[in-house]
């Protein structure tokens, strides 16, 4: 049995929330993640208000099964998790972005040796920097859930472009929301931090990690007006939100590096690394899911039918992320390819820097 104990913070609704999917991967005995899920903290569904909200019945059923079958202990607050008895403790925080700073501080308070933090980490650069400094003072290592940093498709696209001078890479990210005001309005409200801080943050992390992109190095950013669409829509609360339902743009750095990013909330459930020549002619494309991972994806679909489609597509990468993080904690080594909170801070800075410029260009 692994000596690395995991506290999952923010389980959310079964079949819909990434926290719940983290739990299913950790509890799958076929996965060699080298970590043991011991505690789940669910602030919403275990609150008085959340116990009767949509998804609460499904969560209660999941809780009963996890307690009976795996001995998982559930809490409504991080502070209620028992102290570390032996070994090391990893917290996986997969909650609403606005709740992350408080939950992060609480995880530091229960003796976590490392924290795996889902993107973008915090609502603002200032908050994420505070979290970075707090962890540094306690010598707690922070890993980020930027799964595309370890994806095969992005790695292959970068390698091909690097080996062929004069080529250009565009990273496409598609989600499968229904193209309707109701569906997109719900999406805009639930992800109120905006597309660049949420959906496209993965691609921005690639730009920061591998293309020398930072606020200080950006020379220009240009939106593709023909591809992009910015909308103002009411969410379920009735409040209006302005965000991108589709967005494509090219970043050029002061040193001449160039990378393009395209995100479509209603474009499907795949991601693509497209390499073109100077004239824009396609040379090669790599996709996620990678054909080599088809068996793992099919297995996930059979084991847990009815989940959000992108969970299955990203299953191999999220498994790889947790496995590399767990091994790094156990050995004291590095987690190959896994983004750190330093990358996250710069990525969030870039997102905040680019958003008003792109919105202005698309008015």
């Amino acid at each position: 049995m692994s000596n690395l104990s995991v506290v999952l913070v923010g389980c959310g609704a079964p079949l819909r929330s990434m926290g719940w999917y983290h739990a299913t991967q950790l509890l799958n005995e076929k996965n060699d993640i080298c970590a043991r899920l011991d505690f789940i903290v669910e602030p919403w569904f275990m609150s008085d208000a959340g116990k009767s909200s949509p998804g609460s019945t499904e969560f209660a059923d999941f809780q009963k099964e996890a307690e009976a079958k795996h001995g998982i202990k559930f809490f409504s607050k991080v502070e209620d998790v028992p102290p570390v008895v032996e070994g090391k403790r990893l917290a996986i925080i997969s909650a609403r972005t606005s709740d992350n700073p408080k939950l992060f501080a609480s995880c530091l308070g229960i003796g976590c040796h490392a924290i795996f933090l889902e993107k973008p980490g915090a609502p603002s650069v200032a908050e994420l920097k505070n979290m970075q400094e707090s962890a540094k003072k306690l010598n707690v290592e922070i890993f980020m859930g930027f799964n595309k940093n370890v994806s095969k498709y992005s790695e292959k696209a970068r390698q091909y472009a690097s080996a062929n001078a004069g080529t250009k890479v565009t990273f496409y990210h598609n989600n499968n929301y229904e193209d309707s005001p109701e569906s997109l309005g719900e999406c805009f409200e639930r992800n109120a931090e905006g597309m660049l801080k949420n959906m496209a943050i993965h691609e921005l992390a690639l730009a920061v990690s591998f293309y020398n992109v930072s606020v200080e190095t950006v020379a220009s950013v240009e939106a593709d007006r023909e591809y992009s669409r910015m909308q103002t829509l009411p969410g379920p609360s009735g409040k209006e939100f302005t965000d991108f339902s589709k967005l494509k743009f090219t970043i050029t750095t002061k040193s001449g590096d160039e990378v393009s990013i395209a995100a479509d909330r209603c474009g499907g459930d795949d991601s693509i690394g497209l390499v073109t020549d100077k004239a824009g002619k396609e040379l090669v494309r790599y996709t996620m899911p990678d054909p080599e991972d088809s068996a793992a994806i099919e297995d996930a679909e059979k084991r847990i039918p009815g989940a959000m489609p992108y969970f299955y597509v990203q299953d191999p990468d999220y498994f790889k992320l947790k496995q590399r993080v767990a091994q790094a904690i156990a050995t004291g080594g590095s987690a190959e390819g896994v983004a750190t909170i330093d990358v996250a801070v710069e990525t969030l800075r870039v997102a905040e820097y680019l958003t008003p410029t792109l919105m202005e260009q698309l008015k």
Side-chain angles (χ1 to χ4, degrees):
M1 181 176 289
S2 172
N3 205 31
L4 176 62
S5 174
V6 176
V7 180
L8 174 65
V9 182
C11 176
L15 302 180
R16 293 192 60 82
S17 297
M18 192 66 230
W20 165 84
Y21 202 78
H22 280 306
T24 66
Q25 286 195 321
L26 288 163
L27 294 174
N28 181 6
E29 295 178 356
K30 293 182 180 179
N31 285 340
D32 183 23
I33 293 178
C34 301
R36 183 184 71 253
L37 180 59
D38 288 330
F39 308 104
I40 291 178
V41 178
E42 176 44 49
W44 172 243
F45 285 125
M46 296 184 71
S47 70
D48 290 338
K51 286 178 181 177
S52 58
S53 65
S56 58
T57 301
E58 292 80 0
F59 172 78
D61 291 342
F62 169 73
Q63 179 181 353
K64 289 177 184 176
E65 180 181 353
E67 288 173 335
K69 189 175 179 180
H70 301 285
I72 309 298
K73 294 180 174 60
F74 284 73
F75 302 93
S76 63
K77 296 187 298 183
V78 174
E79 292 81 0
D80 292 337
V81 175
V84 178
V85 176
E86 61 177 328
K88 293 185 177 181
R89 172 175 284 176
L90 167 69
I92 297 178
I93 302 177
S94 184
R96 286 187 179 248
T97 302
S98 58
D99 296 331
N100 280 355
K102 183 179 178 181
L103 295 172
F104 185 92
S106 297
C107 287
L108 292 178
I110 60 167
C112 291
H113 298 84
I115 295 175
F116 178 105
L117 183 62
E118 275 294 356
K119 52 81 179 172
S124 69
V125 171
E127 288 169 295
L128 194 57
K129 280 186 173 179
N130 286 337
M131 293 157 67
Q132 179 188 36
E133 290 303 316
S134 297
K136 191 176 293 185
K137 289 176 182 177
L138 295 173
N139 199 30
V140 174
E141 194 163 8
I142 310 303
F143 304 94
M144 300 300 300
F146 291 124
N147 63 301
K148 292 181 179 179
N149 272 39
V150 301
S151 294
K152 292 178 182 176
Y153 87 97
S154 64
E155 185 177 66
K156 289 177 179 178
R158 296 195 311 272
Q159 289 175 344
Y160 184 96
S162 178
N164 294 272
T167 54
K168 176 184 173 182
V169 178
T170 302
F171 292 107
Y172 286 85
H173 182 173
N174 295 311
N175 278 171
N176 57 354
Y177 290 95
E178 180 184 335
D179 189 1
S180 68
E182 294 77 18
S183 177
L184 287 171
E186 187 276 335
C187 174
F188 285 10
E189 180 165 342
R190 183 160 44 84
N191 303 293
E193 59 268 27
M195 178 183 271
L196 288 185
K197 286 189 178 182
N198 190 279
M199 180 181 175
I201 197 80
H202 288 284
E203 286 68 34
L204 285 180
L206 289 173
V208 169
S209 299
F210 304 107
Y211 291 89
N212 190 37
V213 171
S214 70
V215 170
E216 288 73 24
T217 64
V218 171
S220 67
V221 59
E222 186 68 33
D224 183 329
R225 293 175 178 274
E226 185 176 345
Y227 181 97
S228 305
R229 183 170 62 165
M230 185 171 69
Q231 296 177 266
T232 299
L233 298 169
S237 68
K239 182 181 177 182
E240 289 192 335
F241 295 85
T242 298
D243 199 0
F244 309 104
S245 54
K246 294 177 66 177
L247 178 64
K248 185 178 181 182
F249 59 94
T250 298
I251 299 172
T252 304
T253 68
K254 293 173 183 176
S255 61
D257 291 319
E258 188 176 296
V259 62
S260 295
I261 291 170
D264 185 349
R265 295 192 187 275
C266 308
D269 59 8
D270 62 348
S271 292
I272 301 166
L274 181 69
V275 185
T276 59
D277 63 16
K278 290 181 179 179
K281 179 183 177 182
E282 179 177 333
L283 299 176
V284 67
R285 67 170 58 201
Y286 301 101
T287 61
M288 182 181 78
D290 188 281
E292 296 174 6
D293 294 327
S294 59
I297 293 168
E298 289 174 10
D299 177 66
E301 290 176 328
K302 290 176 182 177
R303 284 188 294 104
I304 37 179
M308 297 292 285
Y310 65 85
F311 288 161
Y312 306 132
V313 173
Q314 297 179 13
D315 181 270
D317 293 334
Y318 268 103
F319 163 72
K320 190 188 300 182
L321 274 178
K322 287 192 285 290
Q323 185 183 55
R324 289 184 182 182
V325 167
Q327 289 174 346
I329 297 169
T331 63
S334 62
E336 181 188 354
V338 180
T340 64
I341 196 169
D342 297 340
V343 170
V345 167
E346 190 55 49
T347 302
L348 200 55
R349 287 184 73 220
V350 172
E352 290 189 355
Y353 178 71
L354 295 183
T355 296
T357 301
L358 291 168
M359 283 189 162
E360 182 66 27
Q361 290 181 14
L362 295 171
K363 278 185 178 178

PDB file of all heavy atoms in Angstrom, residues 12-36:
ATOM      1  N   GLY A  12     -17.355  17.607  -5.800  1.00  0.00           N
ATOM      2  CA  GLY A  12     -18.360  18.023  -6.764  1.00  0.00           C
ATOM      3  C   GLY A  12     -19.316  16.909  -7.140  1.00  0.00           C
ATOM      4  O   GLY A  12     -19.364  15.853  -6.503  1.00  0.00           O
ATOM      5  N   ALA A  13     -20.069  17.140  -8.202  1.00  0.00           N
ATOM      6  CA  ALA A  13     -21.113  16.204  -8.625  1.00  0.00           C
ATOM      7  C   ALA A  13     -20.533  15.056  -9.434  1.00  0.00           C
ATOM      8  O   ALA A  13     -19.748  15.280 -10.356  1.00  0.00           O
ATOM      9  CB  ALA A  13     -22.162  16.942  -9.442  1.00  0.00           C
ATOM     10  N   PRO A  14     -20.919  13.828  -9.109  1.00  0.00           N
ATOM     11  CA  PRO A  14     -20.500  12.687  -9.917  1.00  0.00           C
ATOM     12  C   PRO A  14     -20.903  12.866 -11.382  1.00  0.00           C
ATOM     13  O   PRO A  14     -21.945  13.438 -11.694  1.00  0.00           O
ATOM     14  CB  PRO A  14     -21.251  11.510  -9.284  1.00  0.00           C
ATOM     15  CG  PRO A  14     -21.418  11.925  -7.854  1.00  0.00           C
ATOM     16  CD  PRO A  14     -21.668  13.407  -7.908  1.00  0.00           C
ATOM     17  N   LEU A  15     -20.038  12.409 -12.257  1.00  0.00           N
ATOM     18  CA  LEU A  15     -20.200  12.455 -13.714  1.00  0.00           C
ATOM     19  C   LEU A  15     -19.976  13.836 -14.319  1.00  0.00           C
ATOM     20  O   LEU A  15     -19.842  13.962 -15.528  1.00  0.00           O
ATOM     21  CB  LEU A  15     -21.581  11.938 -14.155  1.00  0.00           C
ATOM     22  CG  LEU A  15     -21.950  10.523 -13.736  1.00  0.00           C
ATOM     23  CD1 LEU A  15     -23.343  10.157 -14.240  1.00  0.00           C
ATOM     24  CD2 LEU A  15     -20.931   9.515 -14.280  1.00  0.00           C
ATOM     25  N   ARG A  16     -19.901  14.893 -13.479  1.00  0.00           N
ATOM     26  CA  ARG A  16     -19.783  16.253 -14.018  1.00  0.00           C
ATOM     27  C   ARG A  16     -18.563  17.023 -13.519  1.00  0.00           C
ATOM     28  O   ARG A  16     -18.095  17.940 -14.197  1.00  0.00           O
ATOM     29  CB  ARG A  16     -21.044  17.061 -13.699  1.00  0.00           C
ATOM     30  CG  ARG A  16     -22.295  16.588 -14.412  1.00  0.00           C
ATOM     31  CD  ARG A  16     -23.423  17.595 -14.288  1.00  0.00           C
ATOM     32  NE  ARG A  16     -23.074  18.889 -14.853  1.00  0.00           N
ATOM     33  CZ  ARG A  16     -23.149  19.188 -16.150  1.00  0.00           C
ATOM     34  NH1 ARG A  16     -23.541  18.263 -17.011  1.00  0.00           N
ATOM     35  NH2 ARG A  16     -22.841  20.397 -16.580  1.00  0.00           N
ATOM     36  N   SER A  17     -18.057  16.684 -12.364  1.00  0.00           N
ATOM     37  CA  SER A  17     -16.996  17.497 -11.758  1.00  0.00           C
ATOM     38  C   SER A  17     -15.634  16.809 -11.833  1.00  0.00           C
ATOM     39  O   SER A  17     -15.523  15.593 -11.621  1.00  0.00           O
ATOM     40  CB  SER A  17     -17.329  17.796 -10.295  1.00  0.00           C
ATOM     41  OG  SER A  17     -18.512  18.556 -10.212  1.00  0.00           O
ATOM     42  N   MET A  18     -14.595  17.613 -12.080  1.00  0.00           N
ATOM     43  CA  MET A  18     -13.244  17.078 -12.206  1.00  0.00           C
ATOM     44  C   MET A  18     -12.754  16.480 -10.904  1.00  0.00           C
ATOM     45  O   MET A  18     -12.006  15.489 -10.907  1.00  0.00           O
ATOM     46  CB  MET A  18     -12.296  18.196 -12.658  1.00  0.00           C
ATOM     47  CG  MET A  18     -10.923  17.714 -13.103  1.00  0.00           C
ATOM     48  SD  MET A  18     -11.004  16.724 -14.601  1.00  0.00           S
ATOM     49  CE  MET A  18     -10.036  15.290 -14.121  1.00  0.00           C
ATOM     50  N   GLY A  19     -13.167  17.042  -9.765  1.00  0.00           N
ATOM     51  CA  GLY A  19     -12.765  16.471  -8.486  1.00  0.00           C
ATOM     52  C   GLY A  19     -13.224  15.036  -8.347  1.00  0.00           C
ATOM     53  O   GLY A  19     -12.461  14.151  -7.919  1.00  0.00           O
ATOM     54  N   TRP A  20     -14.483  14.800  -8.705  1.00  0.00           N
ATOM     55  CA  TRP A  20     -15.024  13.435  -8.665  1.00  0.00           C
ATOM     56  C   TRP A  20     -14.219  12.518  -9.570  1.00  0.00           C
ATOM     57  O   TRP A  20     -13.936  11.366  -9.216  1.00  0.00           O
ATOM     58  CB  TRP A  20     -16.497  13.451  -9.084  1.00  0.00           C
ATOM     59  CG  TRP A  20     -17.037  12.100  -9.406  1.00  0.00           C
ATOM     60  CD1 TRP A  20     -17.524  11.178  -8.528  1.00  0.00           C
ATOM     61  CD2 TRP A  20     -17.125  11.505 -10.709  1.00  0.00           C
ATOM     62  NE1 TRP A  20     -17.907  10.038  -9.211  1.00  0.00           N
ATOM     63  CE2 TRP A  20     -17.667  10.220 -10.547  1.00  0.00           C
ATOM     64  CE3 TRP A  20     -16.805  11.941 -11.993  1.00  0.00           C
ATOM     65  CZ2 TRP A  20     -17.899   9.369 -11.626  1.00  0.00           C
ATOM     66  CZ3 TRP A  20     -17.025  11.092 -13.065  1.00  0.00           C
ATOM     67  CH2 TRP A  20     -17.562   9.820 -12.876  1.00  0.00           C
ATOM     68  N   TYR A  21     -13.802  13.026 -10.752  1.00  0.00           N
ATOM     69  CA  TYR A  21     -13.049  12.175 -11.668  1.00  0.00           C
ATOM     70  C   TYR A  21     -11.665  11.862 -11.114  1.00  0.00           C
ATOM     71  O   TYR A  21     -11.152  10.751 -11.289  1.00  0.00           O
ATOM     72  CB  TYR A  21     -12.938  12.811 -13.058  1.00  0.00           C
ATOM     73  CG  TYR A  21     -12.651  11.770 -14.115  1.00  0.00           C
ATOM     74  CD1 TYR A  21     -13.675  10.962 -14.594  1.00  0.00           C
ATOM     75  CD2 TYR A  21     -11.363  11.543 -14.582  1.00  0.00           C
ATOM     76  CE1 TYR A  21     -13.427   9.971 -15.533  1.00  0.00           C
ATOM     77  CE2 TYR A  21     -11.092  10.563 -15.511  1.00  0.00           C
ATOM     78  CZ  TYR A  21     -12.133   9.779 -15.993  1.00  0.00           C
ATOM     79  OH  TYR A  21     -11.875   8.782 -16.907  1.00  0.00           O
ATOM     80  N   HIS A  22     -11.059  12.831 -10.443  1.00  0.00           N
ATOM     81  CA  HIS A  22      -9.793  12.533  -9.747  1.00  0.00           C
ATOM     82  C   HIS A  22      -9.991  11.362  -8.783  1.00  0.00           C
ATOM     83  O   HIS A  22      -9.145  10.462  -8.691  1.00  0.00           O
ATOM     84  CB  HIS A  22      -9.316  13.753  -8.960  1.00  0.00           C
ATOM     85  CG  HIS A  22      -8.632  14.791  -9.793  1.00  0.00           C
ATOM     86  ND1 HIS A  22      -7.564  14.523 -10.617  1.00  0.00           N
ATOM     87  CD2 HIS A  22      -8.859  16.135  -9.908  1.00  0.00           C
ATOM     88  CE1 HIS A  22      -7.153  15.629 -11.217  1.00  0.00           C
ATOM     89  NE2 HIS A  22      -7.931  16.628 -10.796  1.00  0.00           N
ATOM     90  N   ALA A  23     -11.096  11.380  -8.052  1.00  0.00           N
ATOM     91  CA  ALA A  23     -11.377  10.317  -7.087  1.00  0.00           C
ATOM     92  C   ALA A  23     -11.504   8.961  -7.778  1.00  0.00           C
ATOM     93  O   ALA A  23     -10.961   7.958  -7.300  1.00  0.00           O
ATOM     94  CB  ALA A  23     -12.650  10.636  -6.298  1.00  0.00           C
ATOM     95  N   THR A  24     -12.214   8.919  -8.911  1.00  0.00           N
ATOM     96  CA  THR A  24     -12.402   7.633  -9.600  1.00  0.00           C
ATOM     97  C   THR A  24     -11.069   7.072 -10.084  1.00  0.00           C
ATOM     98  O   THR A  24     -10.845   5.857 -10.041  1.00  0.00           O
ATOM     99  CB  THR A  24     -13.363   7.768 -10.790  1.00  0.00           C
ATOM    100  OG1 THR A  24     -12.789   8.602 -11.805  1.00  0.00           O
ATOM    101  CG2 THR A  24     -14.706   8.339 -10.354  1.00  0.00           C
ATOM    102  N   GLN A  25     -10.167   7.950 -10.536  1.00  0.00           N
ATOM    103  CA  GLN A  25      -8.857   7.462 -10.981  1.00  0.00           C
ATOM    104  C   GLN A  25      -8.029   6.939  -9.811  1.00  0.00           C
ATOM    105  O   GLN A  25      -7.351   5.917  -9.929  1.00  0.00           O
ATOM    106  CB  GLN A  25      -8.097   8.579 -11.703  1.00  0.00           C
ATOM    107  CG  GLN A  25      -8.618   8.876 -13.104  1.00  0.00           C
ATOM    108  CD  GLN A  25      -7.645   9.709 -13.909  1.00  0.00           C
ATOM    109  OE1 GLN A  25      -7.019  10.626 -13.379  1.00  0.00           O
ATOM    110  NE2 GLN A  25      -7.501   9.404 -15.189  1.00  0.00           N
ATOM    111  N   LEU A  26      -8.084   7.634  -8.689  1.00  0.00           N
ATOM    112  CA  LEU A  26      -7.330   7.192  -7.521  1.00  0.00           C
ATOM    113  C   LEU A  26      -7.877   5.881  -6.955  1.00  0.00           C
ATOM    114  O   LEU A  26      -7.113   5.069  -6.420  1.00  0.00           O
ATOM    115  CB  LEU A  26      -7.364   8.272  -6.443  1.00  0.00           C
ATOM    116  CG  LEU A  26      -6.518   9.517  -6.735  1.00  0.00           C
ATOM    117  CD1 LEU A  26      -6.945  10.674  -5.833  1.00  0.00           C
ATOM    118  CD2 LEU A  26      -5.030   9.217  -6.537  1.00  0.00           C
ATOM    119  N   LEU A  27      -9.183   5.676  -7.077  1.00  0.00           N
ATOM    120  CA  LEU A  27      -9.809   4.474  -6.525  1.00  0.00           C
ATOM    121  C   LEU A  27      -9.766   3.291  -7.484  1.00  0.00           C
ATOM    122  O   LEU A  27     -10.080   2.172  -7.083  1.00  0.00           O
ATOM    123  CB  LEU A  27     -11.264   4.769  -6.141  1.00  0.00           C
ATOM    124  CG  LEU A  27     -11.454   5.767  -4.991  1.00  0.00           C
ATOM    125  CD1 LEU A  27     -12.931   6.097  -4.795  1.00  0.00           C
ATOM    126  CD2 LEU A  27     -10.861   5.217  -3.701  1.00  0.00           C
ATOM    127  N   ASN A  28      -9.386   3.524  -8.721  1.00  0.00           N
ATOM    128  CA  ASN A  28      -9.291   2.446  -9.701  1.00  0.00           C
ATOM    129  C   ASN A  28      -8.034   1.625  -9.430  1.00  0.00           C
ATOM    130  O   ASN A  28      -6.910   2.103  -9.596  1.00  0.00           O
ATOM    131  CB  ASN A  28      -9.266   3.027 -11.113  1.00  0.00           C
ATOM    132  CG  ASN A  28      -9.198   1.942 -12.187  1.00  0.00           C
ATOM    133  OD1 ASN A  28      -9.275   0.742 -11.896  1.00  0.00           O
ATOM    134  ND2 ASN A  28      -9.069   2.359 -13.430  1.00  0.00           N
ATOM    135  N   GLU A  29      -8.217   0.395  -9.016  1.00  0.00           N
ATOM    136  CA  GLU A  29      -7.083  -0.445  -8.617  1.00  0.00           C
ATOM    137  C   GLU A  29      -6.147  -0.767  -9.776  1.00  0.00           C
ATOM    138  O   GLU A  29      -4.991  -1.151  -9.571  1.00  0.00           O
ATOM    139  CB  GLU A  29      -7.600  -1.741  -7.980  1.00  0.00           C
ATOM    140  CG  GLU A  29      -8.342  -1.498  -6.663  1.00  0.00           C
ATOM    141  CD  GLU A  29      -8.885  -2.787  -6.060  1.00  0.00           C
ATOM    142  OE1 GLU A  29      -8.746  -3.839  -6.712  1.00  0.00           O
ATOM    143  OE2 GLU A  29      -9.456  -2.725  -4.955  1.00  0.00           O
ATOM    144  N   LYS A  30      -6.633  -0.621 -11.010  1.00  0.00           N
ATOM    145  CA  LYS A  30      -5.783  -0.885 -12.171  1.00  0.00           C
ATOM    146  C   LYS A  30      -4.762   0.222 -12.393  1.00  0.00           C
ATOM    147  O   LYS A  30      -3.747   0.009 -13.049  1.00  0.00           O
ATOM    148  CB  LYS A  30      -6.647  -1.043 -13.427  1.00  0.00           C
ATOM    149  CG  LYS A  30      -7.536  -2.276 -13.434  1.00  0.00           C
ATOM    150  CD  LYS A  30      -8.314  -2.363 -14.740  1.00  0.00           C
ATOM    151  CE  LYS A  30      -9.209  -3.597 -14.772  1.00  0.00           C
ATOM    152  NZ  LYS A  30      -9.978  -3.670 -16.047  1.00  0.00           N
ATOM    153  N   ASN A  31      -5.036   1.391 -11.854  1.00  0.00           N
ATOM    154  CA  ASN A  31      -4.124   2.525 -12.018  1.00  0.00           C
ATOM    155  C   ASN A  31      -2.976   2.451 -11.020  1.00  0.00           C
ATOM    156  O   ASN A  31      -3.191   2.342  -9.823  1.00  0.00           O
ATOM    157  CB  ASN A  31      -4.866   3.850 -11.817  1.00  0.00           C
ATOM    158  CG  ASN A  31      -5.744   4.198 -13.000  1.00  0.00           C
ATOM    159  OD1 ASN A  31      -5.551   3.689 -14.099  1.00  0.00           O
ATOM    160  ND2 ASN A  31      -6.711   5.072 -12.781  1.00  0.00           N
ATOM    161  N   ASP A  32      -1.778   2.537 -11.521  1.00  0.00           N
ATOM    162  CA  ASP A  32      -0.592   2.493 -10.655  1.00  0.00           C
ATOM    163  C   ASP A  32      -0.147   3.922 -10.360  1.00  0.00           C
ATOM    164  O   ASP A  32       0.906   4.371 -10.805  1.00  0.00           O
ATOM    165  CB  ASP A  32       0.517   1.710 -11.347  1.00  0.00           C
ATOM    166  CG  ASP A  32       1.752   1.558 -10.464  1.00  0.00           C
ATOM    167  OD1 ASP A  32       1.597   1.649  -9.233  1.00  0.00           O
ATOM    168  OD2 ASP A  32       2.854   1.371 -11.016  1.00  0.00           O
ATOM    169  N   ILE A  33      -0.973   4.649  -9.579  1.00  0.00           N
ATOM    170  CA  ILE A  33      -0.670   6.044  -9.287  1.00  0.00           C
ATOM    171  C   ILE A  33       0.245   6.175  -8.073  1.00  0.00           C
ATOM    172  O   ILE A  33       0.915   7.181  -7.871  1.00  0.00           O
ATOM    173  CB  ILE A  33      -1.985   6.844  -9.086  1.00  0.00           C
ATOM    174  CG1 ILE A  33      -2.738   6.909 -10.413  1.00  0.00           C
ATOM    175  CG2 ILE A  33      -1.719   8.243  -8.550  1.00  0.00           C
ATOM    176  CD1 ILE A  33      -4.069   7.628 -10.350  1.00  0.00           C
ATOM    177  N   CYS A  34       0.307   5.148  -7.244  1.00  0.00           N
ATOM    178  CA  CYS A  34       1.173   5.153  -6.050  1.00  0.00           C
ATOM    179  C   CYS A  34       0.715   6.194  -5.029  1.00  0.00           C
ATOM    180  O   CYS A  34       1.541   6.873  -4.396  1.00  0.00           O
ATOM    181  CB  CYS A  34       2.634   5.390  -6.413  1.00  0.00           C
ATOM    182  SG  CYS A  34       3.307   4.160  -7.543  1.00  0.00           S
ATOM    183  N   ALA A  35      -0.584   6.348  -4.901  1.00  0.00           N
ATOM    184  CA  ALA A  35      -1.150   7.262  -3.913  1.00  0.00           C
ATOM    185  C   ALA A  35      -2.460   6.676  -3.410  1.00  0.00           C
ATOM    186  O   ALA A  35      -3.181   6.001  -4.149  1.00  0.00           O
ATOM    187  CB  ALA A  35      -1.380   8.639  -4.519  1.00  0.00           C
ATOM    188  N   ARG A  36      -2.785   6.946  -2.158  1.00  0.00           N
ATOM    189  CA  ARG A  36      -3.947   6.346  -1.497  1.00  0.00           C
ATOM    190  C   ARG A  36      -4.934   7.449  -1.104  1.00  0.00           C
ATOM    191  O   ARG A  36      -4.618   8.341  -0.323  1.00  0.00           O
ATOM    192  CB  ARG A  36      -3.466   5.598  -0.246  1.00  0.00           C
ATOM    193  CG  ARG A  36      -4.543   4.859   0.517  1.00  0.00           C
ATOM    194  CD  ARG A  36      -3.972   4.244   1.787  1.00  0.00           C
ATOM    195  NE  ARG A  36      -3.639   5.264   2.795  1.00  0.00           N
ATOM    196  CZ  ARG A  36      -2.400   5.626   3.114  1.00  0.00           C
ATOM    197  NH1 ARG A  36      -1.354   5.079   2.526  1.00  0.00           N
ATOM    198  NH2 ARG A  36      -2.186   6.560   4.046  1.00  0.00           N
TER     199      ARG A  36
END
